[in-house]
Amino acid sequence: MILYLQMLFTFFKIGLFSFGGGYAILAMIQHEVVINRAWLSSAEFFDIVAISQMTPGPIAINAATFIGYHKAGLVGGVFCTLGVILPSLIVMTLITVSYLKLKDKPWFRAIFKYLRPLSIGLIASAGIMAGRDAIVDVFSVGVFVLAFVLSWRLKINPFYMLLGAGVIGYFFG
Amino acid sequence: MLLRLFLVFLKIGAFTIGGAYAMIPLIRKEVVQKHKWLSDEDFLDGLAAAQSCPGPIAINISIYTGYRIGKSRGLLVSVLGTLLPSLIVILFIAAFFDRFSGLEAVRRIFHALKPAVVALIAVPVIQMSQSGGISRYTFWLPLLALILIAWLSINPIYLILLTICGAVVYALIMQRGQKRGRS
């Protein structure tokens, strides 16, 4: 029971402090779950990130459900998912009701003017930490460069990109 | 109506792969163009709010759309619709993953998937920087955050709280300065 509550609390914190969607949430998960709680190894975390990208639905929800299940079964999966959406349910509902009033307040606009660039730094740091773990030899450098060019320049759908990477890995990895 | 709302979000949750940015155009198509539940302006306002709020963007936009269409019951069914496909598919995969993760072939596949995931994280950083997230006055902020988080292992939560406090104080000081300037 204590583990379930810890999961709920940890993922609540993750949901509450991640601004900018999926990738910011992944960066927070990495910090809280891998570094602070040590529920997962860094390698396991990136396996889960890859799977979350390739399955339907919001990436953050997929990752939260997977981590919860991996650590504590079905109930764990439900608790982590609940934890990560509870802040949304509270904050987004309040904002939905009052957004039109808030959006012209200077202090409200200032918060997001500075939070957005901060989120970019946060996501970049997740990329750096992932890179330390994933880009280790000539093969992985090649895959990284190819994947980067394909998704940046050709805006290829992440699912097909990862599918292609998986096939390459199966034959040449 | 609630049932239709649920089915629309269930469909979007089940058939979009790659997160919120894949889902948004579909939600817009269903909610604004097909069912005409919201005007395009209302939807874009909601989208702006969903992107500024903490949490998953897809969940935030479901909360907004659901609430605007059917108050709290609408909110509940649209969030459930978005969540359920994720939950079911992931629980199914997670149940089998431990058994497969030790296989040689699976290791080889992930050897290539991992650097590809790094690329997937790197691309939105560039896109977000280009799409107006960073200006001449704020470019130091992501750089500083990057160094503090990636190399000094500072908890991002402190940086976020500090940024929120700093922004509010700065805005209030500017506001007072403007008032004094006018009077």
Side-chain angles (χ1 to χ4, degrees):
Chain A
M1 194 61 211
I2 291 177
L3 181 63
Y4 293 147
L5 289 180
Q6 274 180 344
M7 287 177 146
L8 188 74
F9 176 71
T10 303
F11 275 85
F12 183 85
K13 211 158 80 174
I14 290 166
L16 185 63
F17 287 105
S18 41
F19 293 85
Y23 293 100
I25 300 176
L26 290 178
M28 285 300 295
I29 291 180
Q30 184 185 39
H31 225 270
E32 290 296 315
V33 173
V34 180
I35 299 175
N36 283 356
R37 294 272 183 196
W39 283 339
L40 293 174
S41 72
S42 197
E44 285 173 317
F45 175 68
F46 290 107
D47 289 355
I48 291 175
V49 172
I51 294 169
S52 306
Q53 301 261 15
M54 294 186 74
T55 43
I59 295 167
I61 302 296
N62 294 341
T65 311
F66 201 116
I67 292 168
Y69 183 90
H70 182 79
K71 192 71 198 156
L74 190 66
V75 184
V78 173
F79 268 75
C80 288
T81 309
L82 258 184
V84 87
I85 66 163
L86 265 182
S88 283
L89 285 175
I90 298 166
V91 181
M92 188 66 201
T93 308
L94 286 176
I95 295 222
T96 299
V97 178
S98 59
Y99 181 68
L100 293 176
K101 266 179 256 165
L102 280 176
K103 76 173 182 185
D104 293 324
K105 294 259 188 293
W107 61 266
F108 186 77
R109 285 219 306 265
I111 290 177
F112 297 110
K113 188 177 154 201
Y114 291 99
L115 270 188
R116 231 164 264 156
L118 183 68
S119 281
I120 297 174
L122 178 62
I123 296 170
S125 76
I128 301 255
M129 287 193 271
R132 279 181 203 150
D133 201 69
I135 303 176
V136 287
D137 47 21
V138 181
F139 175 75
S140 48
V141 171
V143 173
F144 170 76
V145 171
L146 190 66
F148 184 81
V149 171
L150 283 178
S151 51
W152 183 35
R153 281 293 166 205
L154 303 177
K155 297 191 171 55
I156 207 168
N157 180 305
F159 175 76
Y160 296 114
M161 204 269 275
L162 289 178
L163 197 66
V167 172
I168 291 174
Y170 181 78
F171 288 109
F172 307 105
Chain B
M1 176 55 177
L2 283 177
L3 182 68
R4 267 225 303 243
L5 191 59
F6 176 73
L7 289 177
V8 162
F9 277 92
L10 191 71
K11 191 169 92 179
I12 294 166
F15 292 108
T16 47
I17 291 166
Y21 291 100
M23 304 175 96
I24 288 164
L26 253 122
I27 300 179
R28 192 172 174 186
K29 200 169 121 193
E30 291 281 340
V31 169
V32 178
Q33 291 162 8
K34 206 167 144 197
H35 294 281
K36 297 194 171 35
W37 282 325
L38 289 179
S39 74
D40 208 31
E41 260 177 22
D42 275 348
F43 182 79
L44 291 178
D45 265 351
L47 186 61
Q51 286 174 316
S52 357
C53 259
I57 293 173
I59 296 294
N60 289 342
I61 193 77
S62 313
I63 290 173
Y64 176 85
T65 320
Y67 184 86
R68 291 291 303 266
I69 296 168
K71 296 284 177 214
S72 49
R73 268 190 294 176
L75 184 158
L76 206 66
V77 296
S78 56
V79 170
L80 268 182
T82 310
L83 276 182
L84 275 181
S86 268
L87 272 177
I88 294 166
V89 174
I90 283 289
L91 288 176
F92 189 74
I93 293 176
F96 291 101
F97 185 70
D98 284 345
R99 211 174 301 164
F100 293 122
S101 62
L103 295 178
E104 236 288 296
V106 176
R107 285 294 102 202
R108 282 209 307 272
I109 292 172
F110 275 94
H111 186 51
L113 281 185
K114 278 183 193 168
V117 167
V118 179
L120 280 184
I121 299 175
V123 170
V125 171
I126 297 174
Q127 284 167 343
M128 284 168 79
S129 315
Q130 285 173 336
S131 67
I134 296 180
S135 69
R136 219 141 43 96
Y137 305 103
T138 53
F139 77 94
W140 54 273
L141 194 60
L143 282 180
L144 186 66
L146 175 64
I147 293 167
L148 289 176
I149 298 168
W151 280 284
L152 301 174
S153 296
I154 303 280
N155 190 331
I157 291 177
Y158 299 131
L159 299 180
I160 289 163
L161 288 176
L162 205 68
T163 306
I164 292 177
C165 295
V168 170
V169 169
Y170 179 71
L172 291 179
I173 290 174
M174 291 296 281
Q175 214 176 353
R176 187 167 295 173
Q178 274 174 0
K179 265 181 204 156
R180 195 171 297 157
R182 251 180 262 143
S183 60

